Amino acid sequence: MPSLSPTMTEGNIAKWIKKEGDKVSPGEVLCEVETDKATVEMECMEEGYLAKIVQGDGAKEIKVGEVICVTVEEGDIEKFKDYKPSAADAPAAPSESKATPEPAAPKVEEKVPAKAPEPKAPKAEKASRSGDRIFASPLARKLAEDNNVQLSSVKGTGPDGRILKADIEDYLASVAKGGKSEAFAASGLDYTDIPNAQIRKVTANRLLASKQTIPHYYLTVDTRVDKLIKLRGELNPLQEASGGKKISINDLVIKAAALALRKVPECNSSWMNDFIRQYHNVNINVAVQTEHGLFVPVVRDADKKGLGTIGEEVKQLAQRARDNSLKPQDYEGGTFTVSNLGGPFGIKQFCAIINPPQSAILAIGSAEKRVIPGSADGQYEFGSYMSVTMSCDHRVIDGAIGAEFLKAFKGYIENPTTMLL
């Protein structure tokens, strides 16, 4: 399994394009791999024949470096007909693989170690059940406690019914395979265990690490968007007349954020432990929710692109995200992220989690009409306001710097014609 993205540690085989025995050439697609970011085509690196597919369609959680197939020169195909790598095998040259075949690597769902005899317990721990007391080995008790397993739900296989560590592992494995937990069943709860897709696992790990290691703080401003809405209404007929796509409020927000980053480049930076890396490119990641999970494709050099170009790219990237067909170049290299829950979902205001290694993310809320004081006493008028919250990494962005960015951003939103200059 090759590393198909900078953060990839494991992947899934979506499907094989080539079959065993097929001739392959450099650049041809061997299979589709679900990485930590998207589904990526894995290409052949050299000419030969696909002798053996070790990990078939749907294989899950294959570690980077594990053998997934064997390619050989013509005439060597039959030698690998029954080839089965050991669990510890790393990618090996064909010459290294001609040794006597070893037992097949365990499947993901069979990773639970086999039952092994445990050392004899002290006499005080002698396995038996007396009344309501449940006897279990110390290792079994610890494993059950760590996984919130009630010992009463587990059948012991040790002497006199004593619960062993292997019994807890077998119980956890059965639950992971879709079995109903007796403890939950006894409580009257009905549920379904939904396997986590690779993208959801990686997103969970990255966001957990972000909240645990990045000192977040939050700045919120209300921006008046009446002129922004008016400008959008003026531009879209021109877009339609020229055959272009309609411009959304989010496209204008992306452009305003990009220009604000050009004015306040300190916010277009990353913490690198010994130094702060300030980027010269303004590449805006745009959060897109799909049925496969959360994706953040990137609009490169957004500060230099027109609104029509930004709108077109965002729509294309969002569609590829929903189709789970993003390429690495579609999501790598972002320097700042925009997440909009206002337009699509009507969320008034929220605080987003920073997308590492970036130092800030902008959370866009919905626009709402408000009654505001007019130009004369006793007079009132209506105005549309949008709430915007910036999450900042305090190691990189001091409060005053974050405020400068939001001031610049607000200036572009409230005077949107300046974005066209």
Side-chain angles (χ1 to χ4, degrees):
M1 174 64 72
S3 178
L4 299 173
S5 80
T7 56
M8 178 177 170
T9 58
E10 60 181 34
N12 306 330
I13 302 293
K15 66 177 179 179
W16 283 91
I17 306 301
K18 295 292 185 178
K19 302 186 297 295
E20 289 183 356
D22 284 356
K23 185 176 182 180
V24 294
S25 302
E28 288 187 333
V29 177
L30 289 174
C31 65
E32 293 180 356
V33 177
E34 295 177 357
T35 72
D36 56 340
K37 301 286 188 180
T39 299
V40 178
E41 294 177 340
M42 190 185 88
E43 297 180 352
C44 182
M45 302 300 293
E46 56 186 18
E47 190 165 345
Y49 291 82
L50 181 57
K52 182 70 176 178
I53 293 175
V54 178
Q55 300 284 1
D57 290 357
K60 304 287 186 182
E61 298 179 6
I62 308 166
K63 302 293 183 185
V64 169
E66 285 188 28
V67 177
I68 61 172
C69 70
V70 178
T71 58
V72 298
E73 296 179 355
E74 186 175 8
D76 291 335
I77 297 177
E78 287 300 317
K79 297 179 182 179
F80 292 90
K81 181 179 180 181
D82 299 317
Y83 171 71
K84 295 179 181 179
S86 67
D89 271 347
S95 60
E96 298 173 338
S97 301
K98 293 179 183 178
T100 304
E102 296 184 32
K107 295 180 181 179
V108 173
E109 63 270 20
E110 297 172 347
K111 283 183 177 177
V112 179
K115 296 180 183 178
E118 295 194 359
K120 293 181 179 179
K123 290 183 179 180
E125 288 281 332
K126 185 176 180 180
S128 65
R129 292 178 181 258
S130 176
D132 294 331
R133 185 177 177 188
I134 299 173
F135 289 90
S137 72
L139 283 175
R141 288 186 182 277
K142 180 66 168 61
L143 186 59
E145 181 181 346
D146 290 345
N147 290 276
N148 296 318
V149 173
Q150 295 185 17
L151 291 176
S152 60
S153 303
V154 182
K155 182 178 180 180
T157 60
D160 298 324
R162 188 173 189 236
I163 298 173
L164 306 178
K165 176 172 175 280
D167 298 326
I168 303 296
E169 291 171 337
D170 285 347
Y171 177 83
L172 292 172
S174 69
V175 172
K177 289 179 183 178
K180 298 269 183 172
S181 164
E182 293 178 18
F184 277 104
S187 67
L189 293 175
D190 192 17
Y191 62 93
T192 300
D193 292 330
I194 302 172
N196 286 322
Q198 191 70 10
I199 180 65
R200 190 166 295 280
K201 289 181 183 179
V202 174
T203 300
N205 290 334
R206 285 173 59 80
L207 294 183
L208 176 63
S210 176
K211 285 294 284 186
Q212 289 179 332
T213 61
I214 295 178
H216 286 59
Y217 74 92
Y218 311 94
L219 301 172
T220 300
V221 294
D222 287 337
T223 60
R224 189 167 182 176
V225 294
D226 295 283
K227 292 181 180 179
L228 192 76
I229 295 171
K230 181 182 177 183
L231 177 64
R232 176 175 176 261
E234 294 170 350
L235 292 176
N236 277 336
L238 300 177
Q239 283 289 108
E240 291 179 328
S242 62
K245 301 287 186 180
K246 285 187 177 181
I247 295 169
S248 69
I249 293 295
N250 201 48
D251 300 331
L252 290 156
V253 165
I254 292 168
K255 181 67 174 182
L259 293 175
L261 287 171
R262 202 160 69 185
K263 275 191 174 182
V264 189
E266 294 92 338
C267 295
N268 196 42
S269 305
S270 291
W271 176 258
M272 307 299 290
N273 290 323
D274 295 328
F275 56 90
I276 292 173
R277 175 168 293 163
Q278 191 172 115
Y279 301 104
H280 299 154
N281 303 90
V282 180
N283 298 340
I284 306 291
N285 286 109
V286 183
V288 178
Q289 182 65 46
T290 75
E291 62 180 10
H292 309 290
L294 181 65
F295 292 87
V296 279
V298 62
V299 178
R300 300 182 185 279
D301 297 314
D303 58 320
K304 301 174 183 176
K305 291 177 177 175
L307 290 167
T309 302
I310 291 174
E312 185 70 28
E313 286 191 19
V314 169
K315 289 177 178 63
Q316 290 178 1
L317 290 167
Q319 188 58 52
R320 288 207 286 272
R322 296 186 188 99
D323 295 339
N324 200 25
S325 62
L326 289 172
K327 306 294 184 185
Q329 61 266 27
D330 292 332
Y331 51 76
E332 293 176 356
T335 62
F336 188 91
T337 299
V338 170
S339 179
N340 189 342
L341 293 178
F345 304 105
I347 300 300
K348 180 178 179 180
Q349 186 266 336
F350 69 105
C351 299
I353 301 175
I354 294 170
N355 180 24
Q358 297 170 16
S359 295
I361 182 171
L362 204 60
I364 309 299
S366 62
E368 62 174 5
K369 281 190 174 294
R370 300 179 188 174
V371 177
I372 56 176
S375 55
D377 290 342
Q379 291 185 350
Y380 296 89
E381 61 184 52
F382 288 99
S384 295
Y385 284 83
M386 180 176 70
S387 182
V388 177
T389 300
M390 183 181 182
S391 305
C392 303
D393 181 347
H394 214 322
R395 298 172 301 177
V396 180
I397 304 172
D398 295 331
I401 299 299
E404 283 294 327
F405 170 85
L406 285 179
K407 180 181 178 182
F409 174 81
K410 183 175 180 177
Y412 285 116
I413 292 294
E414 296 187 347
N415 299 282
T417 54
T418 58
M419 290 190 276
L420 306 178
L421 301 177

